Amino acid sequence: MSLDPVLTPDGDWRPAADIAKAVAAKKTYALDVIEVALARIERHNPTLNAFTDVTADRALTRARALDAAIARGEAVGPMAGVPFAAKNLFDIKGLPTRAGSKINRDRPPAPRDATLIERMEAAGAILVGGLNMGEYAYDFTGENVHDGPSRNPHDVTRMTGGSSGGSGGAVGGSLVPIALGSDTNGSIRVPSSFCGIFGLKPTYGRLSRARSFPFVTSLDHLGPFARNVADLALSYDIMQGPDSDDAACTTRQAEPVSELIGQGVGNLRIAVAGGYFQKNLMPEALEAVATVAKALGITATVELPEVGKARAAAYLISTTEGASLHLDRLRRRAADFDPAVRDRLIAGAMVPSALVDRAQKLRRWYRAKVLEIFEAVDVIVAPATPCIAPKIGQATFELDGVELPVRANIGIHTQPISFIGLPVVAVPVPLDPMPIGVQIIAAPWREDVALRVAYHLQQAGVTVAPHAKAFQ
C-alpha cells in the first residue's frame, strides 16, 4: 500500500488531516503510518536524542485496532492514525513520569494517561513515545544531564531550546508530525523558535494539565507543536474542554478554531511590540520580526508597561513556587538533581515572602495594564528568542553589548507574556543558517485570532517549517 498520501517528497509529514483522511479512506493503513514513524525514530533519534521512551508495542496495538475498526465500517476521529509524542512530564500509562529527572524514575508507573493524551487518542491519534526535556522543566536550553541534550534538527551542534527540547526536535526533525509540550516561561515558544516549527501556548487554563508533572502551577500551560498551523489548530480543538481534574482548567466549553483560521487578517488591528521588545536582540531576531511586520503591513507600535519588572517578578514566582514543590526532594536527594537546577531551587527556597507578595501584586497590575492595550489592538507581534539556537554547552552570549548567561536569558521575551497567561502562536521564519521564531500574541481566550495571523503568514510563504538540515 502506498504511503504517498502521508509523506511529502522530501520525507516530511503531510498535515494531520490529510493523514487521517488517507487512513479513513483505506488509502493507507494506520499500521503502515505508525511503522513509518517508528522507523524514523529508530533511524534519527540517535542523532537528535528527542525521545526518552518509545511506546512501540502500545502504538502498534492501537494502530491494528484502528484499522480493524475502519474495516468494520466504524467512524473514526479527525486524527485517525496520526502519530504524536508527548514531553515526558505528561503521564503515560505504564511508565514512570520522569519529568526529565533522575529522581522521578523511581516513581511507580502512571496508572492512566494525561488528559490531553487521552483526548488526542480519542480523536484517533496514536502515541509513539515520551520526549526528552530539561530537568523538572526548569530550563531553556534542551540540555539534560541525565539523558543528554536534545539536538537541533538543523544543526546538531546547537540547542533545541527548552524545556520542551525533545518536542521541538521531534517535530523539527519530522520524527512525528505533532508533539505535546509545556510552557511556563517560554518552553513551547523557545523550542519552536530554535527548531523552526509552529507552537501554541494557549491561554492559561484553556487546556487541562491533569496528570502532568508541574513546575510552577500558577504559570504552567500545556500545548502542541506542529509543522503547520492547521495541525496546531486541529490538535488544539481536540484537546479543549473543561476538566475537573485540573482546578485551573476553564469551565468554558470548547471553542473550535480550525474553521476560522482561513478568515484572513484584513479586519484585525495588529501592532509590533516596541520598547523592551526591541532591545536585547541579535540581527536575525530583528530581521524575523521585520519580515513578519512587512508581510502583515504593520505600521503601529505598542509598548507594554514595566516589562523588565514583570520579567523579574516571573523569575521570582517561578523559583519560589518551584522550590516549594521540590523542597522534600531537595532535602532527601539533593545529589540526584542537575546541579544547575538544584542551586536555583535552593535559592528560591530562601526568597523572603514579602518579595513574593510584591511580585504577585505587580503581576495583577501588569495584567490589567496589558489588557487595556488589547482594547485598541487585536494582535501584538514580538520576538520569540533574542537569537538563533546557541551551541550546545554555550554558557554566555552578548546582547546589546553586554555578556549575559545563555540559560537565564533565552526567555527574555517570552517570560513577560506567559507571566499573565496570554495565548501565543510561535511562527518560524526560515532564515539562513538557522530558523528563528516570532510571537503572535492575542488577548485571553482569542487563540483563534493568533492562529488566523499565523495561518495567513504561512499561506503567504513568510513562515514555514523547513526540512531538517541534519538529514540532508
Side-chain angles (χ1 to χ4, degrees), residues 184-221:
T184 303
N185 287 300
S187 292
I188 287 175
R189 291 158 290 160
V190 167
S192 295
S193 178
F194 286 174
C195 295
I197 57 176
F198 296 87
L200 171 62
K201 183 200 79 65
T203 306
Y204 179 80
R206 173 69 91 172
L207 297 184
S208 172
R209 303 168 303 178
R211 295 177 296 284
S212 66
F213 197 89
F215 170 29
V216 181
T217 301
S218 72
L219 293 174
D220 289 345
H221 309 64

mmCIF file of all heavy atoms in Angstrom, residues 184-221:
data_model
loop_
_atom_site.group_PDB
_atom_site.id
_atom_site.type_symbol
_atom_site.label_atom_id
_atom_site.label_comp_id
_atom_site.label_asym_id
_atom_site.label_seq_id
_atom_site.Cartn_x
_atom_site.Cartn_y
_atom_site.Cartn_z
ATOM 1 N N THR A 184 6.003 27.276 30.740
ATOM 2 C CA THR A 184 5.858 28.034 31.980
ATOM 3 C C THR A 184 6.335 29.458 31.771
ATOM 4 O O THR A 184 5.624 30.418 32.066
ATOM 5 C CB THR A 184 6.648 27.361 33.118
ATOM 6 O OG1 THR A 184 6.192 26.012 33.282
ATOM 7 C CG2 THR A 184 6.493 28.118 34.429
ATOM 8 N N ASN A 185 7.538 29.577 31.238
ATOM 9 C CA ASN A 185 8.123 30.883 30.940
ATOM 10 C C ASN A 185 8.523 31.032 29.472
ATOM 11 O O ASN A 185 9.111 32.034 29.093
ATOM 12 C CB ASN A 185 9.340 31.122 31.830
ATOM 13 C CG ASN A 185 8.968 31.415 33.262
ATOM 14 O OD1 ASN A 185 8.279 32.375 33.564
ATOM 15 N ND2 ASN A 185 9.423 30.562 34.178
ATOM 16 N N GLY A 186 8.240 30.002 28.666
ATOM 17 C CA GLY A 186 8.612 30.063 27.251
ATOM 18 C C GLY A 186 8.953 28.723 26.650
ATOM 19 O O GLY A 186 9.483 28.650 25.539
ATOM 20 N N SER A 187 8.647 27.643 27.326
ATOM 21 C CA SER A 187 9.166 26.331 26.932
ATOM 22 C C SER A 187 8.451 25.669 25.768
ATOM 23 O O SER A 187 8.848 24.576 25.361
ATOM 24 C CB SER A 187 9.171 25.393 28.147
ATOM 25 O OG SER A 187 10.119 25.828 29.095
ATOM 26 N N ILE A 188 7.415 26.283 25.215
ATOM 27 C CA ILE A 188 6.914 25.896 23.896
ATOM 28 C C ILE A 188 7.480 26.839 22.843
ATOM 29 O O ILE A 188 7.944 26.414 21.780
ATOM 30 C CB ILE A 188 5.372 25.898 23.857
ATOM 31 C CG1 ILE A 188 4.824 24.704 24.639
ATOM 32 C CG2 ILE A 188 4.853 25.864 22.418
ATOM 33 C CD1 ILE A 188 3.311 24.673 24.779
ATOM 34 N N ARG A 189 7.486 28.131 23.145
ATOM 35 C CA ARG A 189 7.895 29.128 22.155
ATOM 36 C C ARG A 189 9.391 29.101 21.858
ATOM 37 O O ARG A 189 9.811 29.287 20.706
ATOM 38 C CB ARG A 189 7.456 30.509 22.630
ATOM 39 C CG ARG A 189 5.932 30.679 22.609
ATOM 40 C CD ARG A 189 5.476 31.774 23.536
ATOM 41 N NE ARG A 189 5.645 31.410 24.933
ATOM 42 C CZ ARG A 189 5.684 32.274 25.939
ATOM 43 N NH1 ARG A 189 5.590 33.576 25.683
ATOM 44 N NH2 ARG A 189 5.804 31.860 27.181
ATOM 45 N N VAL A 190 10.222 28.825 22.851
ATOM 46 C CA VAL A 190 11.671 28.792 22.617
ATOM 47 C C VAL A 190 12.071 27.618 21.715
ATOM 48 O O VAL A 190 12.763 27.810 20.715
ATOM 49 C CB VAL A 190 12.440 28.783 23.950
ATOM 50 C CG1 VAL A 190 13.906 28.431 23.739
ATOM 51 C CG2 VAL A 190 12.318 30.145 24.639
ATOM 52 N N PRO A 191 11.657 26.358 22.013
ATOM 53 C CA PRO A 191 11.986 25.277 21.069
ATOM 54 C C PRO A 191 11.377 25.480 19.685
ATOM 55 O O PRO A 191 11.986 25.097 18.685
ATOM 56 C CB PRO A 191 11.418 24.028 21.761
ATOM 57 C CG PRO A 191 11.353 24.388 23.205
ATOM 58 C CD PRO A 191 11.010 25.844 23.233
ATOM 59 N N SER A 192 10.190 26.070 19.614
ATOM 60 C CA SER A 192 9.607 26.362 18.304
ATOM 61 C C SER A 192 10.512 27.297 17.518
ATOM 62 O O SER A 192 10.752 27.094 16.322
ATOM 63 C CB SER A 192 8.222 27.000 18.471
ATOM 64 O OG SER A 192 7.310 26.109 19.059
ATOM 65 N N SER A 193 11.023 28.325 18.191
ATOM 66 C CA SER A 193 11.905 29.289 17.542
ATOM 67 C C SER A 193 13.202 28.638 17.085
ATOM 68 O O SER A 193 13.617 28.780 15.928
ATOM 69 C CB SER A 193 12.203 30.440 18.500
ATOM 70 O OG SER A 193 13.085 31.378 17.922
ATOM 71 N N PHE A 194 13.846 27.908 17.958
ATOM 72 C CA PHE A 194 15.146 27.322 17.637
ATOM 73 C C PHE A 194 15.048 26.200 16.617
ATOM 74 O O PHE A 194 15.960 26.015 15.802
ATOM 75 C CB PHE A 194 15.812 26.796 18.908
ATOM 76 C CG PHE A 194 16.359 27.859 19.824
ATOM 77 C CD1 PHE A 194 16.878 27.515 21.066
ATOM 78 C CD2 PHE A 194 16.373 29.197 19.459
ATOM 79 C CE1 PHE A 194 17.400 28.480 21.910
ATOM 80 C CE2 PHE A 194 16.885 30.173 20.308
ATOM 81 C CZ PHE A 194 17.392 29.808 21.540
ATOM 82 N N CYS A 195 13.952 25.428 16.644
ATOM 83 C CA CYS A 195 13.817 24.258 15.764
ATOM 84 C C CYS A 195 13.025 24.540 14.492
ATOM 85 O O CYS A 195 12.846 23.648 13.664
ATOM 86 C CB CYS A 195 13.174 23.099 16.525
ATOM 87 S SG CYS A 195 14.199 22.469 17.882
ATOM 88 N N GLY A 196 12.528 25.776 14.326
ATOM 89 C CA GLY A 196 11.868 26.146 13.091
ATOM 90 C C GLY A 196 10.510 25.516 12.885
ATOM 91 O O GLY A 196 10.193 25.057 11.783
ATOM 92 N N ILE A 197 9.679 25.505 13.931
ATOM 93 C CA ILE A 197 8.348 24.909 13.832
ATOM 94 C C ILE A 197 7.321 25.852 14.458
ATOM 95 O O ILE A 197 7.659 26.891 15.009
ATOM 96 C CB ILE A 197 8.292 23.527 14.514
ATOM 97 C CG1 ILE A 197 8.714 23.621 15.982
ATOM 98 C CG2 ILE A 197 9.168 22.539 13.760
ATOM 99 C CD1 ILE A 197 8.595 22.315 16.747
ATOM 100 N N PHE A 198 6.054 25.457 14.355
ATOM 101 C CA PHE A 198 4.962 26.224 14.939
ATOM 102 C C PHE A 198 4.635 25.662 16.326
ATOM 103 O O PHE A 198 4.648 24.439 16.523
ATOM 104 C CB PHE A 198 3.713 26.145 14.057
ATOM 105 C CG PHE A 198 3.885 26.768 12.702
ATOM 106 C CD1 PHE A 198 4.407 26.035 11.639
ATOM 107 C CD2 PHE A 198 3.533 28.086 12.476
ATOM 108 C CE1 PHE A 198 4.566 26.598 10.384
ATOM 109 C CE2 PHE A 198 3.687 28.666 11.224
ATOM 110 C CZ PHE A 198 4.209 27.924 10.179
ATOM 111 N N GLY A 199 4.328 26.551 17.256
ATOM 112 C CA GLY A 199 3.943 26.113 18.591
ATOM 113 C C GLY A 199 2.841 26.998 19.137
ATOM 114 O O GLY A 199 2.791 28.192 18.847
ATOM 115 N N LEU A 200 1.957 26.419 19.922
ATOM 116 C CA LEU A 200 0.855 27.163 20.524
ATOM 117 C C LEU A 200 0.911 27.059 22.037
ATOM 118 O O LEU A 200 0.829 25.958 22.601
ATOM 119 C CB LEU A 200 -0.492 26.614 20.031
ATOM 120 C CG LEU A 200 -1.738 27.155 20.750
ATOM 121 C CD1 LEU A 200 -1.881 28.661 20.561
ATOM 122 C CD2 LEU A 200 -2.995 26.430 20.268
ATOM 123 N N LYS A 201 1.080 28.209 22.685
ATOM 124 C CA LYS A 201 0.867 28.312 24.126
ATOM 125 C C LYS A 201 -0.512 28.922 24.310
ATOM 126 O O LYS A 201 -0.713 30.101 24.049
ATOM 127 C CB LYS A 201 1.916 29.218 24.784
ATOM 128 C CG LYS A 201 1.762 29.276 26.309
ATOM 129 C CD LYS A 201 2.437 30.479 26.929
ATOM 130 C CE LYS A 201 1.613 31.726 26.770
ATOM 131 N NZ LYS A 201 0.312 31.667 27.498
ATOM 132 N N PRO A 202 -1.488 28.126 24.733
ATOM 133 C CA PRO A 202 -2.842 28.672 24.862
ATOM 134 C C PRO A 202 -2.965 29.619 26.061
ATOM 135 O O PRO A 202 -2.034 29.792 26.849
ATOM 136 C CB PRO A 202 -3.702 27.420 25.071
ATOM 137 C CG PRO A 202 -2.825 26.253 24.737
ATOM 138 C CD PRO A 202 -1.430 26.698 25.014
ATOM 139 N N THR A 203 -4.127 30.209 26.190
ATOM 140 C CA THR A 203 -4.456 30.987 27.378
ATOM 141 C C THR A 203 -4.287 30.114 28.622
ATOM 142 O O THR A 203 -4.629 28.925 28.605
ATOM 143 C CB THR A 203 -5.916 31.472 27.307
ATOM 144 O OG1 THR A 203 -6.122 32.172 26.079
ATOM 145 C CG2 THR A 203 -6.260 32.382 28.477
ATOM 146 N N TYR A 204 -3.790 30.707 29.698
ATOM 147 C CA TYR A 204 -3.659 29.967 30.951
ATOM 148 C C TYR A 204 -5.024 29.406 31.355
ATOM 149 O O TYR A 204 -6.017 30.134 31.407
ATOM 150 C CB TYR A 204 -3.127 30.882 32.062
ATOM 151 C CG TYR A 204 -3.002 30.174 33.392
ATOM 152 C CD1 TYR A 204 -1.909 29.359 33.657
ATOM 153 C CD2 TYR A 204 -3.976 30.312 34.378
ATOM 154 C CE1 TYR A 204 -1.787 28.695 34.868
ATOM 155 C CE2 TYR A 204 -3.869 29.665 35.584
ATOM 156 C CZ TYR A 204 -2.774 28.849 35.832
ATOM 157 O OH TYR A 204 -2.666 28.193 37.032
ATOM 158 N N GLY A 205 -5.074 28.102 31.601
ATOM 159 C CA GLY A 205 -6.308 27.451 31.998
ATOM 160 C C GLY A 205 -7.118 26.890 30.845
ATOM 161 O O GLY A 205 -8.124 26.201 31.069
ATOM 162 N N ARG A 206 -6.721 27.155 29.615
ATOM 163 C CA ARG A 206 -7.508 26.695 28.461
ATOM 164 C C ARG A 206 -7.449 25.179 28.315
ATOM 165 O O ARG A 206 -8.474 24.520 28.095
ATOM 166 C CB ARG A 206 -7.017 27.361 27.184
ATOM 167 C CG ARG A 206 -7.642 26.847 25.931
ATOM 168 C CD ARG A 206 -9.116 27.208 25.804
ATOM 169 N NE ARG A 206 -9.288 28.459 25.093
ATOM 170 C CZ ARG A 206 -10.462 28.949 24.709
ATOM 171 N NH1 ARG A 206 -11.572 28.278 24.985
ATOM 172 N NH2 ARG A 206 -10.543 30.101 24.078
ATOM 173 N N LEU A 207 -6.248 24.593 28.393
ATOM 174 C CA LEU A 207 -6.097 23.147 28.226
ATOM 175 C C LEU A 207 -5.748 22.507 29.559
ATOM 176 O O LEU A 207 -4.921 23.027 30.321
ATOM 177 C CB LEU A 207 -5.017 22.829 27.195
ATOM 178 C CG LEU A 207 -5.272 23.304 25.765
ATOM 179 C CD1 LEU A 207 -4.162 22.818 24.848
ATOM 180 C CD2 LEU A 207 -6.628 22.854 25.247
ATOM 181 N N SER A 208 -6.334 21.373 29.816
ATOM 182 C CA SER A 208 -6.133 20.676 31.087
ATOM 183 C C SER A 208 -4.678 20.250 31.280
ATOM 184 O O SER A 208 -4.028 19.772 30.349
ATOM 185 C CB SER A 208 -7.022 19.438 31.144
ATOM 186 O OG SER A 208 -6.713 18.649 32.281
ATOM 187 N N ARG A 209 -4.202 20.401 32.506
ATOM 188 C CA ARG A 209 -2.869 19.911 32.873
ATOM 189 C C ARG A 209 -2.958 18.643 33.712
ATOM 190 O O ARG A 209 -1.944 18.205 34.279
ATOM 191 C CB ARG A 209 -2.122 20.999 33.640
ATOM 192 C CG ARG A 209 -2.006 22.309 32.876
ATOM 193 C CD ARG A 209 -1.516 23.431 33.762
ATOM 194 N NE ARG A 209 -2.395 23.600 34.912
ATOM 195 C CZ ARG A 209 -2.203 24.485 35.888
ATOM 196 N NH1 ARG A 209 -1.164 25.282 35.845
ATOM 197 N NH2 ARG A 209 -3.045 24.567 36.897
ATOM 198 N N ALA A 210 -4.139 18.062 33.818
ATOM 199 C CA ALA A 210 -4.330 16.903 34.680
ATOM 200 C C ALA A 210 -3.386 15.770 34.292
ATOM 201 O O ALA A 210 -3.209 15.458 33.129
ATOM 202 C CB ALA A 210 -5.776 16.420 34.600
ATOM 203 N N ARG A 211 -2.780 15.186 35.325
ATOM 204 C CA ARG A 211 -1.832 14.082 35.193
ATOM 205 C C ARG A 211 -0.611 14.464 34.361
ATOM 206 O O ARG A 211 -0.137 13.700 33.524
ATOM 207 C CB ARG A 211 -2.538 12.829 34.655
ATOM 208 C CG ARG A 211 -3.576 12.291 35.647
ATOM 209 C CD ARG A 211 -4.330 11.107 35.128
ATOM 210 N NE ARG A 211 -5.129 11.424 33.955
ATOM 211 C CZ ARG A 211 -6.274 12.076 33.981
ATOM 212 N NH1 ARG A 211 -6.782 12.529 35.123
ATOM 213 N NH2 ARG A 211 -6.940 12.300 32.864
ATOM 214 N N SER A 212 -0.117 15.670 34.630
ATOM 215 C CA SER A 212 1.204 16.081 34.153
ATOM 216 C C SER A 212 1.977 16.581 35.359
ATOM 217 O O SER A 212 1.386 17.061 36.329
ATOM 218 C CB SER A 212 1.109 17.177 33.086
ATOM 219 O OG SER A 212 0.582 18.380 33.628
ATOM 220 N N PHE A 213 3.308 16.466 35.307
ATOM 221 C CA PHE A 213 4.122 16.854 36.461
ATOM 222 C C PHE A 213 4.343 18.365 36.421
ATOM 223 O O PHE A 213 4.818 18.898 35.419
ATOM 224 C CB PHE A 213 5.470 16.126 36.444
ATOM 225 C CG PHE A 213 6.156 16.155 37.780
ATOM 226 C CD1 PHE A 213 5.914 15.172 38.718
ATOM 227 C CD2 PHE A 213 7.020 17.191 38.114
ATOM 228 C CE1 PHE A 213 6.528 15.210 39.967
ATOM 229 C CE2 PHE A 213 7.634 17.237 39.348
ATOM 230 C CZ PHE A 213 7.392 16.246 40.278
ATOM 231 N N PRO A 214 3.996 19.086 37.487
ATOM 232 C CA PRO A 214 4.052 20.546 37.445
ATOM 233 C C PRO A 214 5.456 21.098 37.619
ATOM 234 O O PRO A 214 6.375 20.407 38.058
ATOM 235 C CB PRO A 214 3.166 20.945 38.632
ATOM 236 C CG PRO A 214 3.327 19.808 39.598
ATOM 237 C CD PRO A 214 3.475 18.573 38.756
ATOM 238 N N PHE A 215 5.604 22.365 37.254
ATOM 239 C CA PHE A 215 6.793 23.145 37.593
ATOM 240 C C PHE A 215 6.360 24.328 38.447
ATOM 241 O O PHE A 215 6.687 24.408 39.626
ATOM 242 C CB PHE A 215 7.519 23.595 36.324
ATOM 243 C CG PHE A 215 8.627 24.594 36.541
ATOM 244 C CD1 PHE A 215 9.355 24.626 37.724
ATOM 245 C CD2 PHE A 215 8.968 25.496 35.548
ATOM 246 C CE1 PHE A 215 10.383 25.559 37.927
ATOM 247 C CE2 PHE A 215 9.986 26.425 35.729
ATOM 248 C CZ PHE A 215 10.684 26.455 36.913
ATOM 249 N N VAL A 216 5.565 25.237 37.872
ATOM 250 C CA VAL A 216 5.041 26.389 38.595
ATOM 251 C C VAL A 216 3.543 26.426 38.307
ATOM 252 O O VAL A 216 3.119 26.867 37.237
ATOM 253 C CB VAL A 216 5.710 27.698 38.134
ATOM 254 C CG1 VAL A 216 5.171 28.887 38.924
ATOM 255 C CG2 VAL A 216 7.230 27.604 38.282
ATOM 256 N N THR A 217 2.754 25.973 39.242
ATOM 257 C CA THR A 217 1.338 25.747 38.975
ATOM 258 C C THR A 217 0.629 27.006 38.485
ATOM 259 O O THR A 217 -0.251 26.939 37.625
ATOM 260 C CB THR A 217 0.640 25.199 40.236
ATOM 261 O OG1 THR A 217 1.278 23.974 40.616
ATOM 262 C CG2 THR A 217 -0.827 24.917 39.972
ATOM 263 N N SER A 218 1.009 28.149 38.989
ATOM 264 C CA SER A 218 0.315 29.376 38.598
ATOM 265 C C SER A 218 0.768 29.914 37.246
ATOM 266 O O SER A 218 0.209 30.906 36.759
ATOM 267 C CB SER A 218 0.499 30.456 39.669
ATOM 268 O OG SER A 218 1.820 30.974 39.670
ATOM 269 N N LEU A 219 1.759 29.263 36.629
ATOM 270 C CA LEU A 219 2.259 29.709 35.325
ATOM 271 C C LEU A 219 2.233 28.616 34.257
ATOM 272 O O LEU A 219 2.404 28.914 33.075
ATOM 273 C CB LEU A 219 3.706 30.208 35.456
ATOM 274 C CG LEU A 219 3.971 31.473 36.266
ATOM 275 C CD1 LEU A 219 5.476 31.710 36.397
ATOM 276 C CD2 LEU A 219 3.313 32.679 35.631
ATOM 277 N N ASP A 220 2.038 27.369 34.638
ATOM 278 C CA ASP A 220 2.171 26.255 33.699
ATOM 279 C C ASP A 220 1.032 26.220 32.675
ATOM 280 O O ASP A 220 -0.143 26.332 33.022
ATOM 281 C CB ASP A 220 2.164 24.917 34.444
ATOM 282 C CG ASP A 220 3.423 24.672 35.251
ATOM 283 O OD1 ASP A 220 4.417 25.373 35.030
ATOM 284 O OD2 ASP A 220 3.403 23.762 36.113
ATOM 285 N N HIS A 221 1.417 26.021 31.407
ATOM 286 C CA HIS A 221 0.488 25.800 30.307
ATOM 287 C C HIS A 221 0.937 24.538 29.570
ATOM 288 O O HIS A 221 2.127 24.242 29.505
ATOM 289 C CB HIS A 221 0.537 26.928 29.269
ATOM 290 C CG HIS A 221 0.408 28.329 29.788
ATOM 291 N ND1 HIS A 221 1.335 28.911 30.628
ATOM 292 C CD2 HIS A 221 -0.527 29.283 29.545
ATOM 293 C CE1 HIS A 221 0.955 30.162 30.888
ATOM 294 N NE2 HIS A 221 -0.161 30.404 30.239
#
